[in-house]
Amino acid sequence: MRNLLAANLLRLRKSVLFWGALAFCLGVGALMSLQLYQMNQYEYFPLDGAFFTYPIFVCIIIAVFIPLFFGRDYSDHTIRRKVAAGHPRAAIYAANLLTGTAVSLLLCAAYMAVVAAIGIPLVGPVSMDPGQAVLMVLGSLAAMAACSALSTLVSMACTSKSTSAVVCILGAFLLLIASIYLRSRLDAPEFYELPWGEGLVENPQCLSGTQRAVCEFVYNLLPPSQAIQYASRQAQNLGQMPLYSLLVILLSTGAGIALFRRKDLK
């Protein structure tokens, strides 16, 4: 495992894709901080709005990075050589998962570091309660780890780099759209008022009972949905949210290792 991780880290140091993703996060962090500073010239906005934005675009970056970075292992026959050298397939999968997760966390940390370095002197610290802010950061990092686990599953199960990249990117955007739809259904009022004050009518779009419970579970489970909740600072049950991420990581990793073990690498 140590040799596999070392090889992945060496590839990262030479990866233009990795350095480009890191530079993008640093640039977005600086831009968001300066934009918030300009907005504060007319009306006060706390640093929170810029500080917690990273989950949405990092989950998309990861959906691009992981299949392109690890997809080369199939095209260059690196995975076959690793197996021939005696490395267990589970160890190969775990090394790629840990590497992808480390990249996602590093991208988040880079963004937050820039926002803190530029935003705090210009705007001031985050106005959120410190304990809640810590839970927000930890929960969002867990959500990014779950995004990495899903992208690793796809990239390790598909031998085509381009196909796995398309699946991961489209999947990320589709899940984001699904999350927005679920949020709109959960926010639908129980009644709506008829025009000209004719009274209230029950809203058929309002969810209740089992339907609402299932919808809330799916909404909290999907990593892109968690990204939206953290970025908009509307996440509820902050203590429970990482458990949903852990469930996604365990299920996707278990399925990914099982598929990779059966995969014909010839």
Side-chain angles (χ1 to χ4, degrees), residues 6-255:
N8 285 344
L9 293 178
L10 180 61
R11 282 185 58 197
L12 278 179
R13 290 174 56 187
K14 301 178 180 180
S15 173
V16 175
L17 182 64
F18 166 70
W19 291 111
L22 185 60
F24 177 82
C25 290
L26 292 172
V28 172
L31 181 63
M32 292 290 291
S33 301
L34 294 175
Q35 186 178 35
L36 188 66
Y37 171 70
Q38 292 179 346
M39 293 170 60
N40 272 266
Q41 303 303 308
Y42 307 97
E43 183 180 354
Y44 175 70
F45 294 93
L47 189 62
D48 307 39
F51 190 81
F52 294 104
T53 306
Y54 60 89
I56 291 181
F57 64 82
V58 170
C59 79
I60 296 175
I61 293 175
I62 286 300
V64 176
F65 174 81
I66 287 181
L68 293 181
F69 184 79
F70 293 116
R72 287 187 55 189
D73 287 350
Y74 282 112
S75 59
D76 297 345
H77 307 292
T78 305
I79 286 186
R80 188 187 305 175
R81 290 195 292 269
K82 289 179 180 178
V83 173
H87 294 291
R89 294 199 182 197
I92 297 173
Y93 189 100
N96 288 356
L97 174 63
L98 290 175
T99 303
T101 301
V103 169
S104 68
L105 300 186
L106 180 59
L107 296 179
C108 295
Y111 175 87
M112 287 187 285
V114 170
V115 173
I118 299 177
I120 292 178
L122 295 179
V123 180
V126 173
S127 62
M128 185 180 297
D129 176 77
Q132 186 178 10
V134 170
L135 290 177
M136 287 276 290
V137 171
L138 294 178
S140 63
L141 294 180
M144 295 304 97
C147 289
S148 301
L150 291 177
S151 294
T152 302
L153 166 61
V154 175
S155 64
M156 296 297 288
C158 183
T159 57
S160 172
K161 179 172 65 175
S162 57
T163 301
S164 60
V166 170
V167 171
C168 287
I169 296 169
L170 285 180
F173 279 105
L174 288 175
L175 289 179
L176 284 171
I177 294 172
S179 301
I180 295 172
Y181 171 76
L182 290 174
R183 183 69 264 172
S184 67
R185 292 298 306 273
L186 290 171
D187 288 341
E190 185 176 358
F191 299 95
Y192 64 89
E193 187 175 356
L194 292 174
W196 301 293
E198 296 181 1
L200 298 176
V201 175
E202 187 175 353
N203 186 1
Q205 297 297 317
C206 180
L207 298 175
S208 60
T210 303
Q211 284 186 329
R212 186 172 189 84
V214 171
C215 189
E216 287 179 343
F217 175 78
V218 175
Y219 180 68
N220 290 325
L221 181 68
L222 297 177
S225 174
Q226 294 184 32
I228 292 176
Q229 293 184 61
Y230 288 118
S232 61
R233 305 184 304 284
Q234 295 179 346
Q236 300 177 355
N237 302 319
L238 290 175
Q240 299 179 8
M241 292 291 285
L243 298 179
Y244 289 100
S245 298
L246 179 61
L247 179 60
V248 172
I249 294 171
L250 293 176
L251 292 177
S252 58
T253 301

